[in-house]
């Protein structure tokens, strides 16, 4: 693996340009008068070919190219060309003067045009102003179903759509009016005529402020090009993705100066390119037109972004001895993983295109602030409180702040699910009915102060002018933080903050100019939208590797290249059709379309492969899954091979289940292992059935939950969790048992009405007077279940069963006859004990309420029979016993047997046990008793429980079990043994 650059080991982007003049290019007369097509040897780097052409005839001294205008694909390729020319000139003791190296956009918008052209924001606001003043009834073909409100949100979203449509058409010099003049039949013609009328209003709105539309200016400049003084020739170099409008520009320029178009391909492929060097779809779509660009050995399949990054780094290490290696990444998900992997190897990488704002922590804070000032939502504040700097800014450093504040917020979210800031304050002020009020600690008090501060912030933000509001927000949150200019991360954050402040000033100024009234949270959302569409310039500094995008790689001279993210979604990519501009119409209008995109990328793959001198120096990596779990498709370009090889290629690109399983890994990087604190746990004084179940399921997760007291909190949840929902029903059933009249009733309706009222009271006490929508729906579900349960309650009373006790607490300080398990008292709560007098004896049954949607009998919930497919995991023998039928069984849960044992200690023997099942399907409501439950089963459960207590006291919390989905899934990455260091080893 390469390390930091040194004089003896230059990095890829710092390598001296070793120029070797290639063989003379094959030059053909172009299809445009006064143009020539120079076909280069594509087995040599583009830079070699470009420099050789530009220095032809130069023998030394100053290399003066001030009479040459050079068009290159991108600004990065222009930078590389200038460096290469300077290095070549230096080899003969001279210097290079190269003043005119332009990307295509500079040819279409020259400096004098940029003084009058409307910016993207000005264009958007002009469109939005037009839409706001529009009488939609006059545009029935375009808006057959007008919006209910012609508000700012609608105006801006429609303006963005029209702006995008105008830009797409403008790439080919088209306008709404020009499309309306085409032969388009029926309703489409009327729609385009309406669009043309809107276009005229938009252009008029710009002209009112002495501004010109960018697309109009580009079309005008293409017809009448501007050339710098002294320019006598124009060279368009290896630019296969030129906008269609450049063809007009070349035709007009060629009337004044000769134009050379350099194409990185041999002259034998002259029929494969158009007059400006763009690949022609009719040639490049033919699989048999050229030999396949890649062999199977050059294609690698990886399960996800993490595996792609690992494979890329692996190939980089393998290829490093052979010379320079360039990296290309076509997928943003993979970029993040590659940077992470290389950072672990102390390799500094640079992205020429800049860093997306969305990858910075400040962007997350700004997004949450946007939501907070727009909606006053609790979830946005809860997310902000997780950022230490923001938490300190809102709460200070006094008593109750810090992690205590975060715990208080999480507790409120888990218990009461606030929706808005006002709702949260309401819930904090009103203690739960029927529950004892608890003393409020400093953190709870601090949370109330933070809520009031957040409400004040929202109110003041929406009242202030936008620039002052945004500046005040950033100062409030980050005013005390010290930023280090030499830190790349801090520099990126400072640049993002500056961009946001500058855009806030610009939005306020331009909105006022165009008379578009947008303030407060709406204006702030527009600011972030515009900033988010750009990038943050990362300081290049000393770097080891450059992460290049697909279009940059043609100009890469490194002898070895590895490209990740070669999926259909990225290369050739999927052009999403505009609602007014389907792909067929794009193609008809000569605009970039699926066919032209495919031709471009098929050419690029061939050209890049031909520049490398062996198969071992060019590799591509294709992913199978995205981080969201979506299936990724291999790029169509990877199927370019002879028909005889196609089955094997398909097998390679779509590995079977066994291969996929071997490659599978969660889409996260094991950049570190979790090293849990080794806590010295005191001997158990109490143990509950739920804790025993946790240990039976996984001893390591038990340690995290009960030893280290780790738990996850969903601070933004909008509905009751399974425990919350079950507790709501439990409280209603408890209230029934506590009311003598209702508990003794045999009338279903009386019981049902009582249970419903109890559930509604509890829900409103916990979640406020105005219940969140999802909670209301869940409450109605709970009511349905309770009313269905009322029928069984009434029938039980008729059958002679009476509620003897409810919520029976076991093992607390008041328990005079606790059940001891290896010295630990059993702690728990029996939902209900019922008695029935029959023939001089008293029957007893212990009932546990179950509200899960999955209906399991008590036997299935507690025991797994080890037969057939049910296999025993190594080390789990101690969980097993033999039942009365002689079958080997494994304990999954001990709840009901331990409850029976606890009641036996109290003198209640031979009690039956069962579940009162209240699932989502109310037709399945029933009381399910454990058939054949006996003293032998109870004793086996006691033996297993004793072993659990012994193991916990002995500190046995390893190995972890494989659990598919649980609260620790994100932390343990699906494989606890790989993700966690075993700190329990002797």
């Amino acid at each position: 693996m390469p390390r930091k650059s040194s004089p003896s080991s230059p990095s890829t982007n710092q390598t001296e340009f070793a120029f070797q003049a290639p063989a003379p290019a094959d030059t053909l007369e172009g299809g445009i008068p006064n143009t020539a097509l120079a076909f280069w040897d594509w087995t040599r780097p583009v830079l070699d070919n470009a420099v050789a052409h530009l220095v032809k005839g130069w023998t030394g001294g100053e290399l003066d190219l001030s009479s040459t205008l050079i068009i290159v694909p991108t600004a990065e390729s222009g930078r590389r060309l200038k460096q290469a020319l300077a290095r070549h000139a230096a080899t003969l003791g001279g210097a290079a003067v190269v003043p005119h190296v332009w990307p295509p956009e500079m040819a279409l918008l020259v400096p004098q045009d940029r003084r009058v052209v409307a910016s993207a924001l000005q264009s958007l606001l002009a469109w939005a102003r037009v839409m706001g003043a529009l009488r939609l009834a006059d545009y029935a073909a375009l808006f057959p179903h007008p919006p209910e409100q012609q508000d700012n949100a609608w105006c801006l979203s429609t303006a963005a759509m029209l702006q995008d449509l105008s830009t797409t058409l403008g790439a080919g010099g088209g306008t709404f009016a020009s499309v309306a003049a085409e032969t388009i039949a029926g309703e489409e013609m009327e729609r385009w005529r309406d669009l043309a009328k809107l276009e005229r209003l938009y252009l008029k709105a710009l002209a009112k402020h002495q501004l010109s539309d960018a697309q109009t200016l580009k079309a005008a400049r293409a017809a009448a090009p501007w050339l710098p003084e002294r320019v006598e020739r124009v060279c368009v170099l290896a630019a296969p993705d030129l906008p269609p409008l450049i063809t007009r520009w070349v035709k007009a320029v060629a009337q004044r100066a000769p134009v050379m178009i350099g194409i990185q391909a041999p002259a034998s492929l002259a029929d494969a390119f158009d007059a400006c060097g763009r690949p022609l779809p009719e040639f490049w779509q033919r699989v048999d037109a050229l030999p396949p660009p890649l062999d199977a050995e050059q294609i690698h399949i990886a399960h996800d972004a993490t595996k792609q990054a690992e494979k890329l780094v692996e190939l980089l290490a393998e290829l490093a001895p052979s010379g320079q290696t360039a990296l290309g990444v076509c997928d943003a998900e993979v970029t993040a993983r590659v940077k992470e992997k290389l950072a672990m190897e102390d390799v500094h990488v640079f992205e020429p295109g800049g860093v997306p704002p969305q990858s910075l922590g400040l962007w997350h804070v700004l997004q949450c602030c946007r939501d907070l000032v727009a909606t006053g939502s609790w979830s946005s504040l809860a997310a902000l409180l997780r950022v230490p700097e923001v938490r300190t800014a809102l709460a200070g450093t006094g008593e109750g702040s810090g992690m205590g504040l975060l715990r208080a917020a999480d507790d409120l979210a888990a218990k009461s699910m606030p929706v808005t800031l006002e709702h949260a304050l309401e819930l904090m002020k009103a203690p739960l009915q029927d529950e004892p009020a608890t003393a409020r600690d400093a953190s709870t008090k601090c949370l109330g102060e933070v809520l009031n501060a957040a409400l004040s912030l929202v109110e003041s933000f929406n009242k202030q002018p936008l620039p002052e509001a945004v500046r005040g927000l950033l100062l409030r949150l980050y005013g005390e933080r010290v930023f280090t200019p030499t830190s790349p991360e801090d520099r990126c954050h400072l640049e993002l903050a500056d961009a946001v402040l500058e855009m806030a000033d610009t939005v306020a100024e331009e909105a006022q100019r165009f008379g578009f009234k947008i303030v407060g949270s709406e204006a702030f959302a527009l600011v972030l939208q515009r900033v988010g569409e750009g990038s943050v310039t990362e300081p290049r500094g000393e770097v080891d590797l450059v992460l290049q995008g697909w279009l940059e790689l043609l100009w890469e001279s490194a002898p070895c290249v590895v490209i990740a993210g070669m999926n259909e979604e990225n290369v050739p990519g999927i052009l999403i059709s505009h609602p007014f501009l389907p792909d067929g119409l794009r193609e008809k209008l000569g605009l970039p379309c699926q066919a032209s995109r495919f031709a471009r990328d098929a050419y690029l793959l061939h050209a890049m492969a031909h520049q490398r001198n062996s198969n071992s120096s060019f590799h591509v990596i294709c992913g199978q899954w995205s981080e969201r779990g979506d299936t990724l498709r291999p790029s169509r370009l990877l199927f370019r091979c002879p028909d005889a090889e196609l089955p094997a290629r398909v097998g390679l690109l779509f590995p079977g289940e066994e291969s996929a399983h071997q490659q599978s890994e969660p889409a996260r990087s094991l950049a570190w292992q979790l090293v849990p604190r080794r806590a010295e746990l005191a001997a158990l004084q109490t143990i509950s059935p739920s804790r025993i179940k946790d240990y039976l399921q996984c001893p390591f997760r038990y340690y995290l939950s009960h030893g280290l007291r780790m738990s996850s909190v969903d601070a933004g949840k909008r509905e009751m969790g399974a425990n919350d929902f079950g507790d709501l029903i439990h409280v209603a059933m408890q209230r029934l048992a506590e009311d003598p009249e209702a508990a003794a009733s045999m009338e279903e309706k009386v019981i049902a009405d009582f249970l419903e009222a109890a559930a509604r009271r509890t829900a409103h006490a916990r979640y406020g007077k105005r219940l969140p929508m999802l909670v209301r729906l869940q409450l109605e579900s709970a009511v349905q279940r309770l009313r269905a349960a009322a029928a069984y309650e009434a029938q039980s009373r008729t059958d002679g069963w009476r509620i003897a006790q409810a919520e029976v607490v076991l093992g607390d300080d008041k328990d005079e006859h606790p059940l001891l398990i290896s010295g630990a008292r059993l702690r728990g709560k029996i939902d209900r004990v019922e008695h029935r007098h029959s023939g001089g004896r008293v029957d007893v049954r212990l009932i546990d309420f179950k509200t899960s949607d999955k209906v399991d009998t008590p036997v299935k919930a507690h025991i797994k029979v080890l037969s057939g497919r049910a296999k025993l995991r190594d080390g789990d023998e101690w969980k097993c016993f033999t039942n009365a039928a002689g079958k080997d069984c494994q304990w999954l849960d001990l709840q009901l047997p331990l409850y029976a044992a606890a009641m036996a200690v109290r003198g209640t023997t031979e009690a039956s046990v069962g579940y009162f099942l209240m699932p989502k399907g109310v037709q399945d409501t029933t009381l399910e008793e454990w058939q054949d439950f006996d003293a032998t089963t109870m004793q086996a459960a006691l033996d297993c429980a004793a072993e659990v207590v012994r193991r916990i006291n002995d500190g046995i919390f390893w190995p972890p079990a494989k659990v598919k989905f649980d609260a620790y899934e994100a932390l343990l990455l699906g494989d606890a043994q790989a993700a966690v260091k075993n700190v329990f080893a002797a």
Side-chain angles (χ1 to χ4, degrees):
M1 180 60 60
R3 295 291 177 181
K4 295 267 181 207
S5 303
S6 64
S8 61
S9 176
S11 62
T12 296
N13 61 307
Q14 295 172 326
T15 302
E16 292 297 321
F17 184 76
F19 174 74
Q20 294 177 341
D26 291 311
T27 304
L28 305 178
E29 184 177 340
I32 300 172
N34 205 25
T35 65
L37 303 182
F39 287 89
W40 296 335
D41 177 8
W42 68 354
T43 62
R44 305 178 66 85
V46 169
L47 276 175
D48 286 46
N49 292 324
V51 171
H53 180 87
L54 293 172
V55 303
K56 187 179 294 185
W58 174 73
T59 57
E62 182 179 70
L63 174 61
D64 186 2
L65 294 176
S66 56
S67 63
T68 302
L69 171 60
I70 305 169
I71 303 295
V72 292
T74 63
E76 176 67 12
S77 56
R79 185 192 67 81
R80 291 185 179 209
L81 179 61
K82 286 183 177 181
Q83 282 188 345
L85 287 167
R87 287 168 182 161
H88 178 63
T91 61
L92 296 181
V97 178
V98 194
H100 310 303
V101 180
W102 292 357
E105 283 294 309
M106 285 190 66
L108 297 175
L109 277 180
V110 295
Q112 54 266 42
D113 297 333
R114 296 179 185 276
R115 289 193 289 268
V116 296
V117 68
S119 68
L121 175 63
Q122 290 170 330
S123 171
L124 178 74
L125 291 174
W127 276 115
R129 182 70 180 89
V130 168
M131 300 314 300
L134 209 62
R135 186 174 180 272
L136 298 182
D138 295 338
Y139 299 82
L142 190 57
F143 303 107
H145 305 289
E148 293 182 5
Q149 286 187 314
Q150 202 169 338
D151 56 11
N152 282 348
W154 180 84
C155 290
L156 284 170
S157 63
T158 306
M161 180 183 66
L162 295 172
Q163 184 183 41
D164 179 53
L165 178 60
S166 175
T167 301
T168 304
L169 288 172
T175 63
F176 296 174
S178 68
V179 176
E182 299 281 338
T183 306
I184 300 177
E187 295 180 1
E188 286 300 306
M189 179 182 291
E190 295 302 319
R191 292 173 70 191
W192 280 100
R193 286 174 177 172
D194 280 355
L195 285 169
K197 288 193 292 183
L198 288 182
E199 186 177 51
R200 289 193 290 272
L201 294 175
Y202 157 73
L203 294 174
K204 184 177 179 181
L206 288 180
K208 180 180 178 181
H209 300 285
Q210 291 77 50
L211 293 171
S212 298
D213 174 57
Q215 310 311 319
T216 303
L217 277 179
K218 288 178 182 179
R221 188 55 63 196
W226 177 85
L227 298 179
E229 189 178 353
R230 292 183 55 202
V231 164
E232 298 174 357
R233 66 168 178 163
V234 175
C235 295
V236 181
L237 304 180
D241 195 37
L242 292 170
L245 196 55
I246 283 291
T247 302
R248 295 189 196 176
W249 183 87
V250 168
K251 289 179 180 178
V253 166
Q255 296 177 14
R256 300 161 53 186
V259 178
M260 188 284 294
I261 297 173
I263 300 174
Q264 181 73 354
S268 59
L269 296 183
D271 292 338
F273 299 89
D274 70 6
C276 286
R278 301 184 196 90
L280 292 171
E282 52 267 29
F283 177 89
W284 293 99
Q285 286 179 339
R286 289 166 42 204
V287 176
D288 60 348
L290 291 170
L294 298 171
D295 291 336
E297 293 76 14
Q298 298 171 264
I299 302 173
H300 308 272
I301 306 301
H303 183 266
D304 48 45
T306 298
K307 283 295 186 182
Q308 286 195 68
E310 288 180 357
K311 187 63 182 179
L312 187 145
V313 174
E314 176 188 327
L315 289 169
L316 177 61
E318 291 177 4
L319 297 172
S322 64
Q324 303 165 16
T325 302
L327 304 184
V329 184
C330 308
D331 187 339
E333 284 186 358
V334 182
T335 299
R337 299 291 169 238
V338 169
K339 293 177 72 173
E340 177 184 285
K341 294 289 184 184
L342 292 175
M344 293 169 60
E345 301 289 342
D346 196 28
V347 176
H348 183 203
V349 299
F350 174 72
E351 295 179 75
V355 178
Q358 293 80 358
S359 66
L360 301 177
L362 177 58
W363 183 260
H364 167 73
V365 172
L366 292 171
Q367 292 284 84
C368 291
C369 289
R370 179 203 63 188
D371 296 340
L372 182 67
V373 298
T375 64
S377 68
W378 162 264
S379 60
S380 54
L381 176 63
L384 285 169
L385 290 179
R386 278 168 162 69
V387 181
E389 295 155 323
V390 177
R391 191 165 63 242
T392 300
L394 293 177
T397 57
E399 186 180 7
S401 61
M403 293 304 295
L405 171 64
L406 192 56
R407 281 192 293 271
D410 287 347
D411 289 343
L412 179 65
K415 180 178 67 176
S416 301
M417 289 185 293
V419 178
T420 63
L421 302 181
E422 292 90 346
H423 186 209
L425 280 172
E426 173 193 330
L427 292 168
M428 292 185 67
K429 292 175 182 177
L432 299 184
Q433 296 180 16
D434 302 322
E435 292 189 14
T438 57
R440 300 199 171 189
D441 59 14
S443 296
T444 304
K445 180 181 178 182
C446 184
L447 177 59
E449 294 171 352
V450 167
L451 284 167
N452 283 310
L455 279 169
S456 175
L457 185 151
V458 171
E459 183 179 359
S460 63
F461 186 96
N462 287 309
K463 286 183 177 179
Q464 294 181 77
L466 179 64
E468 286 81 353
V470 174
R471 193 167 285 104
L473 177 66
L474 288 172
L475 286 173
R476 174 72 184 274
L477 300 183
Y478 290 95
E480 300 300 320
R481 172 172 168 175
V482 177
F483 288 88
T484 306
T486 56
S487 164
E489 182 179 358
D490 279 3
R491 287 183 63 174
C492 287
H493 280 84
L494 287 170
E495 184 175 337
L496 175 58
D498 288 341
V500 170
L501 291 171
E502 183 179 348
M503 185 57 69
D505 290 334
T506 305
V507 166
E509 179 183 339
E510 298 300 339
Q512 183 177 12
R513 180 208 292 253
F514 286 96
F516 187 71
K517 295 182 179 179
I518 180 171
V519 295
S521 59
E522 284 187 330
F524 189 33
L526 179 58
V527 167
L528 294 186
Q529 176 191 337
R530 303 308 301 183
V531 172
E533 292 173 355
S535 61
V536 175
T537 304
E538 188 179 23
R540 182 181 286 265
E542 290 189 9
V543 299
D544 301 297
L545 291 169
V546 177
L547 289 185
Q548 302 174 73
W550 174 250
L551 296 179
E552 296 286 354
L553 287 166
L554 180 64
W555 281 70
E556 175 56 59
S557 297
C560 302
V561 169
V562 182
I563 306 173
M566 281 293 291
N567 291 95
E568 184 69 15
E569 290 78 5
N570 311 311
V571 179
I574 301 171
L575 284 174
I576 300 175
S577 294
H578 194 283
F580 296 107
L581 206 59
D583 193 66
L585 184 54
R586 285 178 188 247
E587 188 169 4
K588 178 181 178 181
L589 296 173
L591 299 173
C593 59
Q594 296 287 6
S596 63
R597 174 75 68 87
F598 180 85
R600 179 200 72 183
D601 289 349
Y603 158 72
L604 286 172
L605 182 62
H606 278 274
M608 285 187 274
H610 276 283
Q611 280 188 204
R612 272 75 231 177
N613 56 14
S614 71
N615 290 350
S616 62
S617 60
F618 187 71
H619 297 264
V620 299
I621 306 171
C622 174
Q624 293 179 291
W625 300 92
S626 73
E627 290 194 339
R628 297 184 300 274
D630 299 328
T631 304
L632 298 178
R633 292 172 290 180
S635 170
R636 283 175 287 165
L637 302 178
L638 303 183
F639 293 94
R640 295 176 76 83
C641 63
D643 290 347
E645 299 177 13
L646 190 56
R649 183 65 60 91
V650 171
L652 170 66
L653 295 171
F654 294 98
E657 292 184 8
E658 183 177 350
S659 300
H661 177 72
Q662 291 173 354
Q663 297 181 45
S664 64
E665 178 182 323
R668 296 175 176 87
S669 172
L670 294 180
W672 50 267
Q673 278 190 310
L674 176 69
V675 183
R677 175 171 57 89
R678 178 69 185 271
E680 294 297 329
L681 305 181
L684 291 175
Q685 300 299 312
T686 62
I687 188 71
S688 67
S690 61
R691 290 178 67 173
I692 291 175
K693 181 180 178 181
D694 289 346
Y695 190 90
L696 287 171
Q697 185 179 47
C698 176
F700 178 66
R701 288 172 173 81
Y702 172 93
Y703 177 76
L704 295 180
S705 298
H706 305 288
L708 300 184
R709 300 186 181 279
M710 291 177 63
S711 62
S712 62
V713 177
D714 182 4
K717 70 177 185 178
R718 288 290 170 266
E719 58 184 337
M720 289 184 277
N723 290 340
D724 302 320
F725 184 84
D727 189 53
L728 181 67
I729 290 180
H730 274 69
V731 170
M733 299 298 282
Q734 182 182 354
R735 298 293 177 265
L736 174 70
E738 293 170 346
D739 189 288
E741 183 178 347
S745 177
M746 299 181 187
E747 296 184 25
E748 178 184 342
K749 186 177 185 306
V750 172
I751 299 172
D753 290 345
F754 183 93
L755 290 172
E756 178 177 349
R760 293 190 184 280
R761 283 197 306 273
T762 303
H764 284 291
R766 291 184 177 182
Y767 306 118
K769 297 178 182 178
R770 294 169 295 178
L771 298 179
M773 174 62 71
L774 293 177
V775 175
R776 288 207 303 270
L777 295 175
Q778 289 179 303
L779 174 59
E780 295 309 316
S781 175
V783 167
Q784 289 180 4
R785 299 190 196 196
L786 288 168
R787 298 194 74 89
Y792 283 86
E793 290 286 349
Q795 186 61 47
S796 291
R797 303 298 89 79
T798 301
D799 293 341
W801 289 99
R802 298 292 181 266
I803 302 175
Q805 294 173 283
E807 303 296 317
V808 180
V809 177
L810 304 173
D812 65 358
D813 294 338
K814 298 178 182 178
D815 191 347
E816 297 179 357
H817 303 286
L819 172 63
L820 297 179
I821 303 174
S822 293
R825 283 181 292 121
L826 180 73
R827 288 292 301 265
K829 188 181 290 184
I830 303 175
D831 290 342
R832 180 181 292 179
V833 179
E834 292 187 346
H835 290 174
R836 180 176 65 179
H837 294 270
S838 175
R841 62 188 299 271
V842 178
D843 297 330
V844 180
R845 67 182 180 190
L846 313 179
I847 298 174
D848 194 70
F849 302 129
K850 296 296 180 184
T851 57
S852 60
D853 292 341
K854 182 181 178 182
V855 179
D856 263 342
T857 65
V859 175
K860 288 184 178 180
H862 285 74
I863 295 172
K864 177 172 70 173
V865 178
L866 299 174
S867 62
R869 295 183 178 180
K871 302 297 182 182
L872 182 65
R873 194 183 65 153
D874 291 342
D876 281 352
E877 294 80 7
W878 62 272
K879 302 177 184 178
C880 300
F881 72 103
T882 302
N883 67 8
K887 293 183 178 180
D888 293 331
C889 301
Q890 178 183 344
W891 285 111
L892 304 175
D893 192 358
L894 303 176
Q895 181 189 32
L896 291 181
L898 293 183
Y899 283 170
M903 294 301 292
V905 172
R906 295 186 175 196
T908 302
T909 58
E910 298 185 3
S912 62
V913 295
Y915 285 163
F916 195 161
L917 301 173
M918 289 178 273
K920 184 177 182 180
V922 294
Q923 70 277 4
D924 294 323
T925 302
T926 186
L927 182 65
E928 187 76 40
E929 292 192 27
W930 187 331
Q931 302 299 325
D932 301 324
F933 179 78
D934 56 17
T936 301
T937 305
M938 184 172 68
Q939 186 58 50
L942 285 170
D943 293 341
C944 183
E947 180 63 14
V948 169
V949 173
R950 185 191 70 77
R951 286 170 171 264
I952 293 173
N953 285 336
D954 290 346
I956 301 175
F957 302 112
W958 200 264
K962 290 187 177 181
V963 180
K964 289 185 177 179
F965 303 104
D966 71 341
Y968 295 103
E969 183 181 7
L971 182 66
L972 303 182
L973 307 179
D975 186 355
Q977 286 193 306
V980 181
K981 181 178 180 180
N982 181 8
V983 298
F984 308 103

